[in-house]
Amino acid sequence: MPIVLVADWLAAPGQEQRVADLLAVLARAALAEPGVTAFRSLRSLRDPAAFVVLAEYTDRRAAEAHRAGDRYRELVQDTVAPLLIDRQTEFHTEL
C-alpha cells in the first residue's frame, strides 16, 4: 500500500532561499531511488520560510529505505536540518 510522507519545514531567518534550492536537489535525488514514486515540495505564499514536502513511496519499506540512505543523511540530516528551526513529519496512507 502506498505511503505518503508529509513534512512541514520552517527555515531559519535568512535561510529560506537556501532551503528552497536544496529541495530541488533533494527532489531529483529522491526520485532516482527505487520505491519513490513522487516528490513534491511547496512553499507558503503567506510565509516564505514555511515549506511542505510530500513524498510518496510504494510501501513502508521503500520509505524506510529512503530515510536510511546515504543521500537522505547527506541532504536532509546533514545539510537541510541545520537550516531549519522546526521540522515535523508524519506518514499517511490513502483511505
Side-chain angles (χ1 to χ4, degrees):
M1 173 174 289
I3 298 289
V4 177
L5 172 75
V6 178
D8 292 304
W9 290 359
L10 186 61
Q15 298 301 325
E16 301 88 350
Q17 191 55 51
R18 179 79 175 123
V19 170
D21 293 344
L22 287 166
L23 276 167
V25 174
L26 181 58
R28 286 190 299 274
L31 288 168
E33 294 179 23
V36 179
T37 57
F39 189 98
R40 189 167 181 196
S41 53
L42 309 168
R43 189 175 197 174
S44 172
L45 294 174
R46 182 185 52 80
D47 181 358
F51 299 86
V52 174
V53 178
L54 304 170
E56 184 172 329
Y57 306 92
T58 54
D59 54 26
R60 183 169 287 281
R61 188 179 339 227
E64 291 168 356
H66 166 74
R67 292 177 65 117
D70 290 341
R71 285 299 275 171
Y72 180 86
R73 182 188 42 75
E74 175 189 324
L75 289 172
V76 177
Q77 294 175 332
D78 295 347
T79 305
V80 176
L83 305 176
L84 304 177
I85 57 175
D86 190 33
R87 179 175 148 204
Q88 304 293 321
T89 60
E90 188 170 356
F91 285 101
H92 299 265
T93 190
E94 292 184 26
L95 296 175

